[in-house]
Amino acid sequence: MDSYERFVRTLNFEEPDRVATWDMVNNVDLYTELGGAGPINEVVPRTYQRLGIDATRWPIGLPPTESKTWCSDRFGFLVSKNQFKFKTIPEQGTTWLVESPFKTLGDLTDVQMEPLSESEILDEFIPIVQSFMKAYEKFGVVYIFCGATIFDDTVLLLGWPLFTRAVYQERNKLRKLLDKFTYVQEVLAKGWAELDPAAYMYGDDIAYKHGLMISPKFLREDWLPRVKRVIEPVRKKGIKALFHSDGNLWRFIDDLIEVGFEGLNPIEPAAYMDIGDVKAKYGDKLVLLGNIDCSQVLPLGSASDVEKATVECIRKAAPGSGFCLGSSSEIIPAIPMTNAVTMYKTARKYGLYPRAQKRNAQVARRRKKLTEV
Amino acid sequence: MLSKVKTAVVDLDIREIGGLVNKALKSGFKPMVIVQALREGMEEVGRRFESHEYFVSELVMAGEVMKAALGILKPFLKYEGKQTEAKVILGTIVGDLHDIGKEIVKTLLISAGFGVYDLGVDVPPEKFVEKARETGTRIIGVSALLSTSILNAAKIVETLKEAGLRDRVKVIVGGAAARPWMVEKYGVDAAVVDAVQGLNIIKEWAEENGAA
């Protein structure tokens, strides 16, 4: 069974040959060790192939090493004449906005940021994602586009103090800004849906370790309806919409299902998201992706700790399909190669589904017979 | 009047807080008495945050309300005489640019009467130690969200030893990456994931040691 079939069967709650794997590799050492020679659009997918990852949302060519220079006059597909100052930490491959033109509530209307037109966005977006799909496909890996992030980007743009003041004091002006991000994401989702993909992911970090970062009331009033608009074109085409947010989401999973999401990632164990509990409560409604702790176990544990966590995760979440194993966010730079390799190797070893196990046993018996003859 | 000030903090009423503080001053309440009412409001906000009635956004908003109130009170506080509050050096460790946790702790510390030297984000260990030496501050609070940055936080302890300041200065690591075993492994004095828990430890240290 190839990665595409394994992933799609998993999404459809059909039994694949073994547990599918899903991840994002943000680790230069792994690319250097496993990627081999050649251009980046071969090095990256080859690394995934060699690790045994079936599907990913990692956009080839973005961090770890390149900074988001395109953001100096453009925030995604929102264009502004104002300057944004970003800082990239190469060891982490993460970029932060360190200087924003949004400083006061008045700037919500004074700072001009307008989205590009639909055709301008798609003219740029489609060739890029098609090239990612093609590059990964060559190495048997499935690429899933991840749209992002109405809430996160707005907070990033305004900073927490100004964002919260806008929530309480200038909700209508804030809504206009949220609408601009929403429009861009709607267009991207629509474009992605035309490419007949295996799935779509929408990522927005609305939670942290102990729970939601913002009230469910705000999320229900102003975030969910916009997210619903974003995933609508995808769902209309019968493509599954998966949701990504770090943190403890227990309080909000029902809302996510109601709006139309059919998958959840990364199910952080460090945020009290026990995958056995999530599976028991939502395993028939949500495909679960991730869960091996990348905050402690993967970077700081031994290979044996990783193996133990992986086996335990498979035991809890794999029965009945609908589960892709992977890290609880991404393979961050602090994760040693041995631990990353151990995780996927363990998934291959212990993640066989009953039918595959039966088939393997039959093959072994036949081989034994032939040897005896 | 003071109960209205407290309620405005709890209700995150940034529109009303300025008027209420001014009214309280005009009514003859001493600035420190008004600050106490604000603190009580913040304590209630902290309780609601811990019981998941309030969220990070409400905590930040309460900080904004406090900021607005303290902005009015600041000139009057100058004339209150001696400053008794302990000081804390705060910063997000080098390699980490997250500042939400640090901002929350800062707000809680200020509202509890502490003076705060905020070194910002992406701060190398040497800077924390340099500030401790320069100001004589005896508590360093290090924020670390990423597990990748924890080792950098641990380096503060080493740098303090090299500077001969370890016996004088306590180090608390806070944030999503902090774990209790870091006390033993890296020699920090405390490691907490929760802002209120961190505040309580710092309060204890300040009381026990009379940290400057």
Side-chain angles (χ1 to χ4, degrees), chain A residues 40-71:
Chain A
I40 192 165
N41 63 358
E42 287 183 6
V43 169
V44 171
R46 191 181 291 119
T47 305
Y48 280 79
Q49 183 196 43
R50 288 182 175 169
L51 282 167
I53 300 171
D54 294 310
T56 183
R57 64 183 173 103
W58 184 253
I60 301 167
L62 285 183
T65 52
E66 292 174 29
S67 69
K68 273 185 177 177
T69 48
W70 51 271
C71 285

Side-chain angles (χ1 to χ4, degrees), chain A residues 5 12 55 73 90 99 107 145 161 205 343 347 367:
Chain A
E5 190 185 348
N12 292 324
D73 62 354
E99 204 177 307
D107 293 332
F145 169 67
D205 286 330
M343 176 172 69
R367 273 193 193 138

Side-chain angles (χ1 to χ4, degrees), chain B residues 199-210:
Chain B
L199 172 70
N200 291 334
I201 289 173
I202 290 173
K203 270 182 181 172
E204 275 174 30
W205 288 351
E207 279 164 21
E208 282 169 17
N209 306 325

Side-chain angles (χ1 to χ4, degrees), chain B residues 44-104:
Chain B
E44 177 57 25
V45 169
R47 271 192 290 276
R48 291 188 184 193
F49 178 69
E50 280 189 314
S51 64
H52 305 293
E53 191 184 334
Y54 274 3
F55 302 84
V56 172
S57 51
E58 279 67 35
L59 214 49
V60 176
M61 190 61 193
E64 291 297 292
V65 176
M66 282 291 287
K67 232 190 268 174
L70 291 172
I72 295 167
L73 288 170
K74 213 175 169 183
F76 301 96
L77 289 169
K78 272 185 187 170
Y79 301 102
E80 283 286 302
K82 61 174 184 179
Q83 281 206 322
T84 54
E85 72 263 31
K87 303 244 183 343
V88 180
I89 295 168
L90 271 191
T92 303
I93 194 66
V94 66
D96 201 335
L97 290 176
H98 294 88
D99 69 348
I100 302 170
K102 177 178 70 64
E103 289 299 317
I104 292 170

Side-chain angles (χ1 to χ4, degrees), chain A residues 19 28 34 39 146 206 267-268 283 334 367:
Chain A
V19 165
V28 176
L34 301 172
C146 182
I206 57 171
I267 314 163
E268 261 192 280
R367 273 193 193 138

